[in-house]
């Protein structure tokens, strides 16, 4: 199986990619290659698909993989049985596989129990899931916590099935085992953490969430060796139960999380969407809003709601962590969502690069957002004497950099950080941060704790 | 005199009513019948018109009627003399009644002192009040605190009066007596009160305020036997001096008022208008805004101002009670205001039913707006295991009820009530309240004090 | 040299003034006459031009003039050498003055060091400043803190200069001396101060800032003998270094400043612009916003930024004084800014009168914005009994004055001042203040501290 083979009507093919990959550069190409490589694996909330995914991510960044046994109590939940699948099909009377797991892992309802039977189409039908409104696409369905089995197929395929008897087989195991997740840590100068989390439980769906995995992996590589202020923790875990398991096993550590981002739907052609944390005004909320606004990107910022990705868990009231969610088009906001059309052709190197860049800029703001004290707060200090200011007065075209210095000096009373300065001044954060650096160098500014 | 006889050009006649009463149902028909029955009575701030009005209301709901003697000091005021009128007219030289109290009680300026004299039209003219801009209508005028007398008539009538001598007679008494008001109480499980107040001092004016009286009466009947959390106090009192008298005699009780609504102009065909309390963000302000917004009704919400109905008194700074005012078209906002055109044809069963429904929904929010504690606040509790959540995952069409559960769980940290949840989630209050009920039943939620 | 001689294409001549001066009245004419008289003087941040300017202002209002010696440390700065200039020119080979200080003092870069030399046009060119985009205008340039010399001229003049040798002479002195500023104080009943500040360092520029000087002078005369609550301090000082010097010498006094206005660009034909103080919600910010809004003037209100006039110094974080800036078109917002086109014809008596009126109204709000206590806070007091209210009820056309009384009574709980009342009620401040006066007279209201 190659990337794109599950692609059907309604999505642009992968053919378009080479033309635009140049603009995205090496990082974009590498991220897309990772998506294509991970795409065929049959991931679920447990099982070898997750393990193989973490193995491949681990080739780019070192991962600490954790195996949590079935039955372990995790917050209000229990780690479920482990599910693995080898093969599955529906054969017609002639022995032809009319629905075939080998063609696409979406064809089997996730966590289906084993079945091996022959039945009429009428008996089979309650186990068949289609999208009547998108008759060419295979839907994605799971049933983690209610033991059942089923197949997903295109409505067109179903419509063409004649009455008669069908051989139905799902060669899967649902048995005690483990839940698997991986962590990568970029150590910082402090134990305060930035969490970057993405789910690794969806099978052949590219935007949801192989693109998120790819962007997170690449972001970790960018941070390597930058000696950051914060410790960056990258969490690759199955959705919901994975985040819950991590939180259950890391209650103390969760208290160290100062900022966090959940990454999902990171590769489609839509614009970026940032969903605020439950707090609504956390530093990461303000940093993301600033980055998106200051960059001039079309974007959307939406309020928190307790539905979506694992921000649901991180923002549950007991934890209430300052974790937002960055996506391009949000879940269920595109027709390809949770269908076979969310294939590698649906995500682009350019889009993933853009998402990566936004993440990077957000980390730049978080890293650089310090409070300072103006050491010469009475009147303006004489910048010209220190070579910080054009010496020929009377001109009205004061430069952005000089405005940034004046703003940093004016607001550095101990109550405002550099992000405050950027927001109030309307200047890009990096200009403000550069001004603060120059003012520190000139002895006019002191960084606070 | 029958309802509508004072009706003149510019208002729809009562003939249109039967066609639409069906949509309003029994409650609408009963409210309109009450308006028609109360309409002919000559009410003022004191006197037998108020007593007769309270008698009639008392046929529907038990009233405790209070008589407060003339001269009683009430806050900064004094209960005035009681005014009663038997007859009044202006007769022309031929003995014909050209202005006749028997035709409409609006023809006499309220609180007119007795007069019996013959005078020229020129001498009479300073005592005649018309509406030159609405020449067919009789205005409503009073002079409670400056002893004088006068007649109100249509400009057209005045224009047709020939010069000559006129016999003028007002057979009224202004003497020591009482101010009368009535109260109806629906006892609640707590002594905390919800006040519903309407004025009963206007003579033949249907929207201002017979419709308010009718809606309040009906709301009281709806609440009967509901075993509410709050004690509901319905006050039927003359405007200004009645509210002031009640406040003077109930200073302690006023401290028990947690929420309140002044009802006026409750029956015209315009949309609902809610005027906020002086506080601006009282629970009743938020409840009314939620009900009006969530219902999809066209409506308007306006800020408090110290003019209008008895919210002026309840929201005076010494009391500062959380009392808003619900009307349809506000006072002076319709041309029929304070004229003979505000007759029973001007108010409809449908409009009164709609006002009643809004009042009812507001009480539902006030009754149900409790704070809860999520008993499983770390991560989401597993709703599926408890039968609270669809078990087949992967679908994007999460139902409103499930969203409500997630919102209630997420915000039930002790700081947020269910109205907070409804406001932040954008879900209707009753959906949120139902979700809380189900979560309580499942042991996931505990109601706080 | 007469007023307007430096005027060039692009500005209305002074000829238009007499037609409109009538509307502006005596104050407008006097302010414009002052602008014309001050216009020819060659002001800078030090020197005899400032002294002569203060002498002339001192003819209208008594000034206390302070001379601060060169070398005095003032906050982060040092009082510079004093600069004086007698003559300056560039002569061509024929001995003709092609650039002549005697024609306009803008022709010499402020603080130019003495020079006396003969050089080629190529050698001279780095010292010549023009406005290529406005080829007919002479720019205004200074170089206070980097010792250099230069000439300013019209681009058209420069373009016409032939190659060849030029005689260059600047007969100036830059030597130890003094920085000069003037203060005028209108004593108030309290030591709390209102600061009105304008810069006096610009040479022949009418709007920036002779109009500001004229308006400040006239405002001081209006305040004379009004026995104000606040002490009003008018500061006429060179920009930046003058304000810094005053702050350095008056650190304690600065703590008494309760409100302040920097006046600049006070005479052009554009609408008024108020720039908020750093605090953003200081009383002067609210007062200015109220005056501009309530007057119905077209106007603009902009947020603080640490660039502009001497609000930069007063609002530095160490002082953080509640000082806003009132201008018409702000600096650099008009093409005549800092050019020879900012001549007396660019400013009008009407515009300066309008600015003066706004300043005056702002002082009326600051003077009158007191908190009161409603002495009859339970219910409305009976206004009619006290002759404060129309006695004939039932009318909907309640007058603005009566609404003001109700608002003052309703909000006078000790927490709200009269400006709060004006803002919340939407009534003009003077109507609110009059209502408070009447209520005080009726014994219903008590003024708080």
């Amino acid at each position: 199986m190659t990337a794109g083979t599950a692609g059907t009507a309604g999505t642009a093919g992968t053919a378009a990619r080479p033309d635009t990959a140049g603009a995205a550069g090496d990082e974009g190409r590498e991220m897309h290659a990772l998506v294509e490589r991970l795409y065929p694996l049959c991931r679920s909330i447990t099982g070898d698909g997750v393990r193989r995914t973490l193995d491949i991510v681990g080739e780019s960044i070192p991962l600490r993989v954790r195996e949590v046994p079935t039955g372990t109590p995790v917050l209000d939940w229990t780690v479920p049985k482990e599910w693995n699948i080898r093969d599955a099909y529906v054969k017609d009377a002639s022995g032809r596989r009319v629905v075939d797991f080998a063609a696409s892992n979406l064809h089997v309802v996730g966590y289906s129990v084993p079945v091996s039977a022959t039945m009429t189409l009428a008996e089979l039908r309650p186990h068949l899931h289609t999208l009547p409104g998108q008759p060419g696409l295979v839907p994605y369905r799971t049933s983690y916590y209610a033991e059942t089995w089923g197949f997903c197929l295109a409505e067109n395929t179903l419509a063409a099935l004649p009455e008669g008897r069908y051989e139905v087989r799902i060669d899967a195991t649902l048995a005690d085992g483990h839940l698997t997740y991986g962590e990568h840590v970029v150590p910082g100068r402090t134990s305060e953490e930035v969490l970057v989390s993405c789910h690794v439980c969806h099978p052949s769906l590219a935007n949801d969430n192989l693109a998120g995995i790819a962007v997170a992996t690449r972001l970790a590589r960018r941070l390597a060796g930058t000696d950051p202020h914060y410790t960056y923790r990258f969490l690759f875990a199955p959705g919901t139960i994975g985040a819950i398991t991590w939180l259950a096993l890391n209650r103390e550590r969760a208290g160290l999380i100062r900022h966090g981002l959940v990454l999902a739907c990171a590769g489609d052609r839509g614009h970026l969407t940032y969903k605020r944390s439950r707090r609504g005004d956390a530093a990461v909320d303000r940093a993301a809003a600033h980055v998106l606004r200051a960059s001039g990107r079309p974007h959307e910022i939406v309020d928190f709601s307790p539905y979506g990705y694992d921000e649901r868990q991180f923002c549950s009231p007991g934890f209430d962590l300052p974790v937002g969610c960055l996506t391009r088009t949000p879940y269920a906001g595109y027709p390809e969502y949770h269908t076979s059309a969310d294939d590698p052709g649906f995500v682009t190197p350019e889009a993933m690069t853009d998402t990566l860049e936004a993440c990077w800029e957000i980390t730049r703001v978080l890293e650089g957002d310090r409070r300072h004290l103006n050491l010469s707060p009475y009147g303006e200090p004489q910048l010209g004497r220190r070579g910080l200011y054009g010496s020929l007065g009377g001109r009205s075209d004061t430069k952005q950099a000089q405005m940034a210095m004046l703003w940093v000096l004016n607001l550095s009373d101990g109550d405002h950080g550099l992000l405050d300065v950027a927001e109030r001044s309307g200047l890009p954060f990096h200009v403000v941060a550069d001004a603060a650096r120059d003012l520190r160098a000139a002895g006019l500014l002191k960084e606070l704790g």
Side-chain angles (χ1 to χ4, degrees), chain A residues 147-223:
Chain A
E147 292 203 355
T148 184
W149 60 267
F151 288 89
C152 298
L153 64 163
E155 173 72 16
N156 290 342
T157 306
L158 175 58
L161 293 186
E163 295 299 326
R165 293 190 73 79
Y166 287 87
E167 184 192 343
V168 177
R169 182 168 165 77
I170 297 180
D171 177 13
T173 49
L174 185 60
D176 284 354
H178 296 81
L179 176 147
T180 312
Y181 67 76
E183 286 176 274
H184 170 76
V185 173
V186 180
R189 299 191 303 275
T190 68
S191 61
E192 298 183 314
E193 295 206 349
V194 177
L195 176 72
V196 179
S197 170
C198 56
H199 60 283
V200 295
C201 55
H202 283 27
S204 290
L205 295 169
N207 197 38
D208 181 18
N209 188 32
L210 301 178
I213 295 169
V215 169
T217 303
R218 195 74 213 176
L219 179 64
R221 286 185 57 183
R222 273 208 190 181
L223 285 162

Side-chain angles (χ1 to χ4, degrees), chain A residues 291-314:
Chain A
V291 162
L292 293 178
R293 190 173 52 241
S295 71
R297 287 178 177 91
H299 68 276
E300 196 168 1
I301 295 178
V302 298
D303 280 330
F304 176 76
S305 82
Y307 196 70
Y309 292 101
D310 283 332
E311 68 276 12
R312 295 164 66 164
Q313 311 308 328
F314 301 122

Side-chain angles (χ1 to χ4, degrees), chain A residues 253-271:
Chain A
R253 187 177 301 283
L256 293 172
I257 295 174
R258 294 289 170 272
H259 319 285
L261 273 181
V262 170
L263 284 180
C265 303
D268 67 84
R269 292 167 175 85
H271 61 238

Side-chain angles (χ1 to χ4, degrees), chain A residues 87-426:
Chain A
D87 195 11
Y89 55 80
V90 175
K91 281 188 184 166
D92 65 15
S94 73
R96 189 177 60 94
R97 291 188 171 200
V98 296
V99 185
D100 186 2
F101 172 76
S104 166
N105 54 42
L106 293 181
H107 280 311
V108 175
V109 169
Y111 260 63
S112 282
V113 294
V115 63
S116 183
T118 302
M119 58 186 74
T120 63
L121 184 57
E123 289 165 325
L124 178 56
R125 205 176 276 270
H127 295 272
L128 300 182
H129 304 279
T130 67
L131 293 168
Q134 296 170 292
L137 303 184
V138 180
Y140 163 55
R141 291 282 184 275
T142 67
S143 182
Y144 302 134
Y145 299 99
E147 292 203 355
T148 184
W149 60 267
F151 288 89
C152 298
L153 64 163
E155 173 72 16
N156 290 342
T157 306
L158 175 58
L161 293 186
E163 295 299 326
R165 293 190 73 79
Y166 287 87
E167 184 192 343
V168 177
R169 182 168 165 77
I170 297 180
D171 177 13
T173 49
L174 185 60
D176 284 354
H178 296 81
L179 176 147
T180 312
Y181 67 76
E183 286 176 274
H184 170 76
V185 173
V186 180
R189 299 191 303 275
T190 68
S191 61
E192 298 183 314
E193 295 206 349
V194 177
L195 176 72
V196 179
S197 170
C198 56
H199 60 283
V200 295
C201 55
H202 283 27
S204 290
L205 295 169
N207 197 38
D208 181 18
N209 188 32
L210 301 178
I213 295 169
V215 169
T217 303
R218 195 74 213 176
L219 179 64
R221 286 185 57 183
R222 273 208 190 181
L223 285 162
T226 60
D227 188 30
H229 174 85
Y230 292 106
T231 293
Y232 287 76
R233 181 172 304 273
F234 290 81
L235 178 60
F236 300 86
T240 306
I241 187 66
I244 284 168
T245 300
W246 186 87
L247 283 165
L249 302 181
N250 293 275
R251 282 212 179 195
E252 307 268 301
R253 187 177 301 283
L256 293 172
I257 295 174
R258 294 289 170 272
H259 319 285
L261 273 181
V262 170
L263 284 180
C265 303
D268 67 84
R269 292 167 175 85
H271 61 238
L272 284 163
T273 301
Y274 178 76
K275 173 182 167 181
R276 292 187 181 98
S277 74
R278 180 181 188 267
R279 300 182 184 185
D281 61 350
V284 68
D285 299 326
R286 296 171 53 225
H290 176 79
V291 162
L292 293 178
R293 190 173 52 241
S295 71
R297 287 178 177 91
H299 68 276
E300 196 168 1
I301 295 178
V302 298
D303 280 330
F304 176 76
S305 82
Y307 196 70
Y309 292 101
D310 283 332
E311 68 276 12
R312 295 164 66 164
Q313 311 308 328
F314 301 122
C315 295
S316 57
F319 293 109
D320 195 20
L321 296 175
V323 175
C325 178
L326 187 68
T327 63
R328 303 195 70 82
T329 309
Y331 75 90
Y334 47 95
E336 296 84 356
Y337 176 76
H338 277 196
T339 75
S340 52
D342 181 5
D343 66 10
F346 182 63
V347 302
T348 72
E350 293 73 23
M352 286 187 283
T353 302
D354 183 59
T355 308
L356 171 65
E357 205 58 49
C359 292
W360 177 253
E361 291 165 22
I362 291 168
T363 68
R364 292 314 86 195
V365 174
L366 297 174
E367 287 286 319
D369 183 25
R370 296 284 166 270
R371 288 178 305 119
H372 293 79
L373 207 58
N374 176 345
L375 298 174
S376 183
Y378 293 95
E380 285 176 16
Q382 195 177 5
L383 299 177
R385 162 156 65 90
R386 297 172 173 91
L388 293 170
Y389 207 72
S391 61
L392 190 69
R395 294 183 351 198
S396 61
D397 59 325
T398 310
K399 296 177 209 80
Q400 204 181 39
Q402 288 174 352
M403 280 309 297
M405 278 189 208
L406 294 175
W407 274 110
V408 170
L409 288 168
N410 191 270
L411 292 180
S412 289
D413 51 11
D415 290 336
H416 301 90
L418 294 184
L419 180 52
D420 293 318
V421 178
E423 287 182 337
R424 183 155 175 192
S425 68

